[in-house]
């Protein structure tokens, strides 16, 4: 019974949540109201909603941490950050003039779905356009003895189809000009998400400078092992963090969960350090070098009875033509039910002919020229070739000899990269309205975590557990099932299965079955026998108690009668005393004996 009530309550809760969501979405204003009343009502609702949305408090860097922070951009004050971020005026090389310009639009605005009032971000607005924007660091970051941490937020306000949301940490060079920022501008690190179709990536690329040649080469980190694919599909704000440490280790976090880690010397492609030895480019294989492990036996001869011209298949000599075979009937005949189309024009389409169908007369036996079926030729042996034997001149697979690599170098500290002076976004996307927010570059992971706690964590709580316009857990589940209806089966199993297990453990069905069986039959059971024995025992105890009470009452009544009798006898004795004073001693003795007898009787009773 308790389980049934619990399931009913659960069903009512889900139903109410679903209905409330549906009513909220389907609610429309009454078309019969006049325009003025409707406008006033909407204004009141907007004012009320604006009051209800909490004002955004951007994260702030404490004074004691300012030396450890190289960039902290919460987009808090419009006049300040707009002057810090410069749009590129450059053109891409090697593309058509029409699409060479970085003419994609950028905007500083609130997200379409407001979680807080006044929460601004940098938004990529244009579709199928090249975008480029950048900002200088407060001071260059130099890779010495402290870790490098870059962290920022991305919100794909529409499901991403094809595009990127990665950042480029631009190298500190004298030629750096933010207005000329383009795809070929030197960068030290590139980091962030990228997707096109089903190809989803989370880049971590750094440019390593060759100490011999001075040229820089891109080094790509291995693919993440953690799950990050969902960041492209939803509409939540996601946090991307990269940590590169002086011991050459690195780690990538998505929403503060580690998804990739490794070492700059071991887990990048191509490797930072080239091999010590390489193949000699001038070494050539000798002409008499034999790489054949097996060769045909030169002494083998083809047998005299080996017929290479024998066919693989021959006609079956034992086959006979069926008696009902029709030699003169065609295999296909014109369809007698075929009808010439009404729009058939013989001058353009030619003479119309009915389509061909299988001859119905051929269904039993067959039609046309009869030929016997073919079978495998038992005399077939194919092309003769000599058997293989071990090659006495086999020397193995030839490889060029190794020589010292003239370009070899060993860099044990690839962490010490080129200094970083600016952060830039150089992107192309088929999906607009990509929002960036809360950039930070620091050398202390705790500072980055505190920055995230004051910004991203607050947004994530509202997006996950409910906000003003973002749905809570129930609405998120409903949104998921709209795209994947099969999730309802999973939800039902997850919700109901624990209750079924609890019911099976706490309310076993055997007792109910036994109880039902007892109700359906009059045959005595063990429980009935036990109940009867208990009833007899109770009855016996009751009767014994009643008998004891009756005996006590009888004894008390006897005592009362004895006392009355004694009193009468004493009174009679006193009268006799008065009448016969001479026998006083004898009477006293008799009275004393009687009193003693009465005391004994009372004691016995």
């Amino acid at each position: 019974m308790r389980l049934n009530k619990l399931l009913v309550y659960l069903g009512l809760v889900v139903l109410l949540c679903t209905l409330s969501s549906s009513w909220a979405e389907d609610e429309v204003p009454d078309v019969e109201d006049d325009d003025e009343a409707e406008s006033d009502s909407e204004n009141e609702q907007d004012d009320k909603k604006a009051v209800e949305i909490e004002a955004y408090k951007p994260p702030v860097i404490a004074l004691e941490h300012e030396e450890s922070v190289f960039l902290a951009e919460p987009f808090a004050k419009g006049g300040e950050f707009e002057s810090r971020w410069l749009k590129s005026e450059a053109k891409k090389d090697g593309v058509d003039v029409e699409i060479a310009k970085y003419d994609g639009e950028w905007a500083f605005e609130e997200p379409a779905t407001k979680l807080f009032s006044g929460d601004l971000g940098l938004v990529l607005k244009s579709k199928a356009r090249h975008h480029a924007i950048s900002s200088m660091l407060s001071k260059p970051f130099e890779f010495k003895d402290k870790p490098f941490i870059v962290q920022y937020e991305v919100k794909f306000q529409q499901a991403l189809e094809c595009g990127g949301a990665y950042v480029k940490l631009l190298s500190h060079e004298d030629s750096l000009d933010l207005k000329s920022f383009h795809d070929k501008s030197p960068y030290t690190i590139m980091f962030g998400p990228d997707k096109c179709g089903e190809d989803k990536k989370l880049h971590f690329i750094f440019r390593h400078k060759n100490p011999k040649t001075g040229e820089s080469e891109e080094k790509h980190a291995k693919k993440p092992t953690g799950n990050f694919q969902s960041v492209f599909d939803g509409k939540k704000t996601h946090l991307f963090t990269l940590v590169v440490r002086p011991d050459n280790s690195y780690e990538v976090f998505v929403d503060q969960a580690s998804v990739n880690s490794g070492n700059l010397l071991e887990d990048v492609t191509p490797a930072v350090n080239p091999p010590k030895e390489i193949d000699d480019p001038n070494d050539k294989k000798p002409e008499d070098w034999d790489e054949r492990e097996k060769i045909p036996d030169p002494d083998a001869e083809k047998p005299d009875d080996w017929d290479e011209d024998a066919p693989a298949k021959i006609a079956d000599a034992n086959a006979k033509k069926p008696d009902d075979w029709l030699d003169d009937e065609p295999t296909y005949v014109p369809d007698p039910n075929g009808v010439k189309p009404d729009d058939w024009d013989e001058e353009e389409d030619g003479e119309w002919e009915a389509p061909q169908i299988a001859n119905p007369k051929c269904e039993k036996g067959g039609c046309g020229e009869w030929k016997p079926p073919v079978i495998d030729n038992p005399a077939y042996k194919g092309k003769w070739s000599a058997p293989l034997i071990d090659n006495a001149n086999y020397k193995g697979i030839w490889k060029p000899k190794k020589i010292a690599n003239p370009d070899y170098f060993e860099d044990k500290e690839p962490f010490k990269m080129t200094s970083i002076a600016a952060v830039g976004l150089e992107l192309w996307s088929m999906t607009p309205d990509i929002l960036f927010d809360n950039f930070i570059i620091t050398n202390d992971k705790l500072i980055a975590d505190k920055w995230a706690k004051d910004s991203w964590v607050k947004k994530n709580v509202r997006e996950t557990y409910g906000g003003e316009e973002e749905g809570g857990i129930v609405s998120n589940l409903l949104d998921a099932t709209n795209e994947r209806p099969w999730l309802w089966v999973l939800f039902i199993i997850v919700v109901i299965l624990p209750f079924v297990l609890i019911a099976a453990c706490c309310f076993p069905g055997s007792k109910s079955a036994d109880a039902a069986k007892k109700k359906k039959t009059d045959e005595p059971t063990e429980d009935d026998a036990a109940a009867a024995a208990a009833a007899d025992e109770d009855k016996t105890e009751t009767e014994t108690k009643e008998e004891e009470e009756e005996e006590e009452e009888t004894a008390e009544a006897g005592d009362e009668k004895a006392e009355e009798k004694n009193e009468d006898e004493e009174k009679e004795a006193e009268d006799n005393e008065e009448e016969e004073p001479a026998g006083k001693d004898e009477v006293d003795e008799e009275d004393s004996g009687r009193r003693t007898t009465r005391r004994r009787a009372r004691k016995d009773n």
Side-chain angles (χ1 to χ4, degrees):
M1 182 62 69
R2 285 178 291 180
L3 178 61
N4 292 337
K5 289 182 179 180
L6 185 60
L7 292 176
V8 171
Y9 294 156
L10 181 62
L12 290 175
V13 170
V14 175
L15 180 61
L16 289 175
C17 292
T18 305
L19 290 177
S20 63
S21 176
S22 177
W23 291 339
E25 293 178 358
D26 296 340
E27 186 178 5
V28 295
D30 188 358
V31 296
E32 296 180 357
D33 294 341
D34 59 343
D35 295 340
E36 184 176 357
E38 183 175 334
S39 177
D40 294 341
S41 176
E42 291 179 355
N43 292 334
E44 291 177 0
Q45 291 179 0
D46 293 340
D47 294 340
K48 182 178 179 182
K49 189 173 185 180
V51 173
E52 291 177 352
I53 298 178
E54 180 183 348
Y56 179 64
K57 296 180 180 179
V60 178
I61 299 298
L63 292 176
E64 62 270 21
H65 296 151
E66 287 185 353
E67 289 296 324
S68 298
V69 176
F70 301 81
L71 174 71
E73 183 57 89
F75 299 104
K77 297 180 181 179
E80 295 182 2
F81 64 71
E82 288 181 357
S83 61
R84 288 194 297 265
W85 290 82
L86 300 179
K87 298 179 182 178
S88 175
E89 300 175 358
K91 294 182 180 180
K92 288 178 68 74
D93 294 332
V95 297
D96 295 337
V97 178
E98 297 178 356
I99 60 174
K101 292 182 63 177
Y102 286 94
D103 56 354
E105 180 183 355
W106 294 95
F108 300 97
E109 62 185 23
E110 293 181 300
T113 301
K114 296 181 181 179
L115 301 174
F116 300 91
S117 63
D119 180 17
L120 300 178
L122 176 61
V123 182
L124 181 150
K125 300 293 293 182
S126 304
K127 177 181 179 180
R129 289 287 186 272
H130 292 289
H131 302 72
I133 193 170
S134 56
S135 176
M136 294 294 294
L137 274 59
S138 60
K139 53 184 176 291
F141 183 94
E142 296 181 358
F143 293 85
K144 293 183 177 179
D145 55 355
K146 292 186 179 181
F148 170 80
I149 298 100
V150 57
Q151 179 175 278
Y152 68 103
E153 299 173 11
V154 176
K155 183 171 184 177
F156 297 105
Q157 301 185 85
Q158 302 178 27
L160 187 66
E161 297 178 3
C162 186
Y166 45 82
V167 297
K168 288 184 176 181
L169 289 311
L170 303 181
S171 301
H172 185 206
E173 297 182 353
D174 295 336
S175 60
L176 179 61
D177 180 10
L178 298 188
K179 289 187 177 181
S180 301
F181 174 42
H182 56 91
D183 58 326
K184 298 295 193 305
S185 296
Y187 68 89
T188 300
I189 290 177
M190 189 177 97
F191 167 67
D194 189 13
K195 176 193 174 186
C196 197
E198 294 301 320
D199 186 16
K200 302 175 182 179
K201 298 178 180 179
L202 183 56
H203 295 294
F204 167 40
I205 304 171
F206 70 94
R207 288 164 56 90
H208 178 261
K209 190 173 183 178
N210 190 314
K212 283 196 169 184
T213 63
E215 297 179 356
S216 296
E217 184 181 27
E218 291 184 352
K219 309 295 181 180
H220 296 249
K222 65 179 182 179
K223 292 183 179 180
T225 57
N227 182 19
F228 69 93
Q229 285 79 6
S230 60
V231 301
F232 302 102
D233 301 331
K235 298 180 181 180
K236 295 177 63 177
T237 303
H238 295 283
L239 184 71
F240 296 90
T241 309
L242 169 65
V243 180
V244 186
R245 304 180 182 92
D247 62 356
N248 298 321
S249 66
Y250 69 85
E251 192 164 7
V252 177
F253 299 85
V254 174
D255 296 342
Q256 296 187 327
S258 178
V259 297
N260 194 9
S261 61
N263 191 284
L264 301 179
L265 290 171
E266 301 172 358
D267 300 305
V268 298
T269 304
V272 170
N273 296 317
K276 291 183 178 182
E277 294 182 333
I278 61 173
D279 294 337
D280 185 358
N282 299 321
D283 190 16
K284 296 182 179 180
K285 184 175 69 173
E287 295 180 357
D288 60 346
W289 190 279
D290 197 341
E291 294 182 339
R292 298 175 301 167
E293 185 176 0
K294 299 283 186 179
I295 60 173
D297 185 0
D299 298 328
E301 295 181 359
K302 183 177 70 172
D304 295 336
D305 59 349
W306 191 285
D307 187 1
E308 294 182 346
D309 298 328
K313 299 285 185 179
I314 59 174
D316 186 2
N318 299 321
K320 294 182 180 181
K321 183 175 69 173
D323 296 337
D324 53 357
W325 189 275
L326 304 176
D327 296 286
D328 299 331
E329 286 289 336
T331 305
Y332 293 94
V333 296
D335 184 2
N337 298 322
V339 179
K340 183 174 70 173
D342 296 336
D343 57 351
W344 187 273
D345 188 349
E346 292 188 356
E347 294 181 358
E348 295 183 0
D349 303 327
E351 184 180 358
W352 181 82
E353 295 180 357
Q356 298 286 312
I357 61 172
N359 190 344
K361 296 180 180 180
C362 304
E363 293 179 356
K364 293 183 179 181
C367 297
E369 182 183 359
W370 181 84
K371 294 181 180 179
V374 295
I375 60 173
D376 293 334
N377 184 5
Y380 173 75
K381 293 184 179 181
K383 187 73 175 177
W384 182 85
S385 60
L388 298 178
I389 61 172
D390 293 335
N391 183 5
N393 298 322
Y394 174 69
K395 295 182 179 181
I397 304 299
W398 182 86
K399 295 180 181 180
K401 63 181 180 180
K402 296 289 186 179
I403 61 172
N405 185 358
D407 298 325
Y408 173 74
F409 63 85
E410 185 177 15
D411 183 358
K412 295 183 178 180
E413 296 178 315
F415 168 77
K416 294 183 177 180
M417 308 175 194
T418 305
S419 300
I420 294 172
V423 58
L425 298 170
E426 191 266 319
L427 305 169
W428 182 91
S429 177
M430 288 298 295
T431 305
D433 297 324
I434 302 175
L435 186 144
F436 300 85
D437 200 0
N438 293 316
F439 290 87
I440 184 171
I441 295 177
T442 178
N443 57 20
D444 191 338
K445 181 67 163 56
L446 295 178
I447 296 177
D449 291 341
K450 179 63 168 59
W451 181 269
K453 181 181 178 181
D454 294 339
S455 55
W456 175 81
V457 171
K458 294 179 180 179
K459 300 177 185 179
N460 186 58
V461 169
R462 289 214 170 186
E463 290 174 335
T464 302
Y465 301 104
E468 293 299 330
E469 294 185 9
E470 284 285 346
I473 295 178
V474 174
S475 62
N476 288 337
L477 293 178
L478 293 176
D479 291 340
T481 53
N482 287 337
E483 298 180 359
R484 306 173 183 85
W486 54 267
L487 284 177
W488 279 115
V489 178
L490 181 61
F491 294 159
I492 292 173
I493 293 175
V494 170
V495 172
I496 293 180
L497 184 59
F499 296 106
V500 174
L501 296 177
I502 292 173
C505 295
C506 300
F507 308 99
S510 59
K511 293 183 178 180
S512 301
D514 294 341
K517 184 176 180 181
K518 292 175 185 177
K519 294 178 181 179
K520 294 180 181 179
T521 179
D522 295 333
E523 296 179 2
T525 62
E526 294 180 0
D527 293 340
D528 296 337
D536 292 342
E537 185 177 353
D538 293 341
K539 183 176 181 182
T540 304
E541 292 178 358
T542 303
E543 292 176 354
T544 303
K545 188 174 182 180
E546 291 177 354
E547 290 176 358
E548 291 178 355
E549 291 177 354
E550 289 179 357
E551 290 178 357
E552 291 178 0
E553 292 176 357
T554 304
E556 291 177 358
D559 292 343
E560 292 177 357
K561 291 179 180 180
E563 290 178 359
E564 292 176 357
K565 184 177 180 180
N566 291 337
E567 290 176 357
D568 293 341
E569 289 178 355
E570 290 176 358
K571 187 175 182 182
E572 184 178 355
E574 291 176 356
D575 294 339
N576 291 336
E577 262 182 25
E578 294 176 355
E579 293 178 356
E580 299 178 2
K584 183 177 180 181
D585 294 337
E586 296 178 358
V587 173
D588 292 339
E589 291 177 1
E590 292 177 1
D591 291 339
S592 176
R594 290 172 183 169
R595 290 173 182 170
T596 301
T597 303
R598 285 199 298 271
R599 291 192 187 98
R600 289 176 180 175
R602 290 176 182 173
K603 186 176 182 181
D604 294 338
N605 291 333

